[in-house]
Amino acid sequence: GAGVSQSPRYKVAKRGQDVALRCDPISGHVSLFWYQQALGQGPEFLTYFQNEAQLDKSGLPSDRFFAERPEGSVSTLKIQRTQQEDSAVYLCASSNSGGAYEQFFGPGTRLTVL
Amino acid sequence: AQSVTQLDSQVPVFEEAPVELRCNYSSSVSVYLFWYVQYPNQGLQLLLKYLSGSTLVKGINGFEAEFNKSQTSFHLRKPSVHISDTAEYFCAVSDLGNQGGKLIFGQGTELSVKP
């Protein structure tokens, strides 16, 4: 497809379960970002990749959160031992580069932890 | 640390009326500024961005914004809104020294256009 895709679109997990969220960026885009959007809030930065290198993970809220992009294309955000406060929409964005270049956002994955 | 404040959480307005959504940022360094729109159950779509040059920036769907460095503001305006403009609007900033260009978002403004 032409845009950023994310799967699954919706995920319900029981507290304590592990989840994996997938992001397919626009083909050829070097930069990939993950954001967390809590209900009624603006997105908050989680982590950033340039190709396969994770250059900034300062926004990851705890060591239960882990992201990877092993071949510089598809990325996976993994959350271990999910907690209720992890419930949010997780947005992925890609761009040709950083800074001034537009970030194109996917539709997000809505995670609900019961 | 960078922060973005959107002064109004909700803005109700009648169709064909003008609207202004306010945004202030806190930074003493040069920044890039963005406005994104989010329709229900969709990702964010870029409306417009300020990088440099003219302080009046025009975007899609008839929106424009004015960068005011002295007031650290980047307010979004539209002279005549449509029902289809009903959505959540986010102001965001990225500082020039920030590797990768991660975005810092405001809390969002819900624009509700009534017939």
Side-chain angles (χ1 to χ4, degrees):
Chain A
V4 178
S5 61
Q6 294 186 244
S7 61
R9 289 292 313 275
Y10 302 91
K11 176 70 178 177
V12 178
K14 292 183 179 178
R15 189 162 55 103
Q17 281 185 330
D18 298 348
V19 298
L21 313 179
R22 176 187 170 106
C23 172
D24 283 83
I26 293 173
S27 178
H29 275 191
V30 170
S31 299
L32 186 146
F33 303 80
W34 283 98
Y35 295 86
Q36 180 190 58
Q37 185 176 20
L39 187 64
Q41 301 295 317
E44 292 191 357
F45 170 79
L46 292 177
T47 187
Y48 157 66
F49 290 86
Q50 187 175 79
N51 296 307
E52 69 279 2
Q54 189 175 20
L55 299 185
D56 187 347
K57 53 182 181 179
S58 61
L60 295 177
S62 78
D63 58 7
R64 296 186 295 104
F65 287 71
F66 172 76
E68 60 184 4
R69 195 186 184 197
E71 297 178 357
S73 178
V74 171
S75 177
T76 303
L77 176 66
K78 298 178 179 179
I79 308 173
Q80 297 177 324
R81 304 181 304 280
T82 52
Q83 304 294 317
Q84 285 189 326
E85 61 263 27
D86 300 334
S87 295
V89 175
Y90 291 85
L91 296 167
C92 175
S94 70
S95 76
N96 275 325
S97 184
Y101 291 89
E102 177 182 354
Q103 293 185 24
F104 293 84
F105 283 81
T109 294
R110 182 178 298 276
L111 172 65
T112 302
V113 181
L114 303 177
Chain B
Q2 290 269 11
S3 67
V4 177
T5 302
Q6 292 183 241
L7 297 162
D8 306 294
S9 60
Q10 294 180 322
V11 174
V13 63
F14 287 106
E15 193 174 17
E16 298 183 5
V19 70
E20 178 180 80
L21 306 183
R22 297 179 293 168
C23 173
N24 285 87
Y25 65 95
S26 65
S27 175
S28 60
V29 300
S30 296
V31 295
Y32 295 144
L33 294 156
F34 305 81
W35 274 98
Y36 280 85
V37 61
Q38 187 175 37
Y39 298 102
N41 297 317
Q42 295 186 27
L44 288 88
Q45 179 184 6
L46 182 69
L47 279 177
L48 48 79
K49 62 183 179 183
Y50 172 79
L51 306 180
S52 63
S54 173
T55 57
L56 184 62
V57 179
K58 294 189 182 297
I60 63 171
N61 300 341
F63 284 94
E64 63 182 32
E66 186 156 18
F67 169 60
N68 188 319
K69 186 174 182 179
S70 62
Q71 297 186 4
T72 59
S73 68
F74 191 54
H75 300 332
L76 180 70
R77 301 187 184 101
K78 186 170 182 177
S80 176
V81 295
H82 300 148
I83 297 288
S84 59
D85 292 324
T86 295
E88 189 87 16
Y89 291 79
F90 292 96
C91 180
V93 63
S94 172
D95 72 61
L96 296 182
N98 180 3
Q99 183 180 34
K102 70 182 182 186
L103 297 173
I104 307 299
F105 287 90
Q107 305 93 317
T109 297
E110 182 182 346
L111 176 63
S112 176
V113 181
K114 305 177 187 303

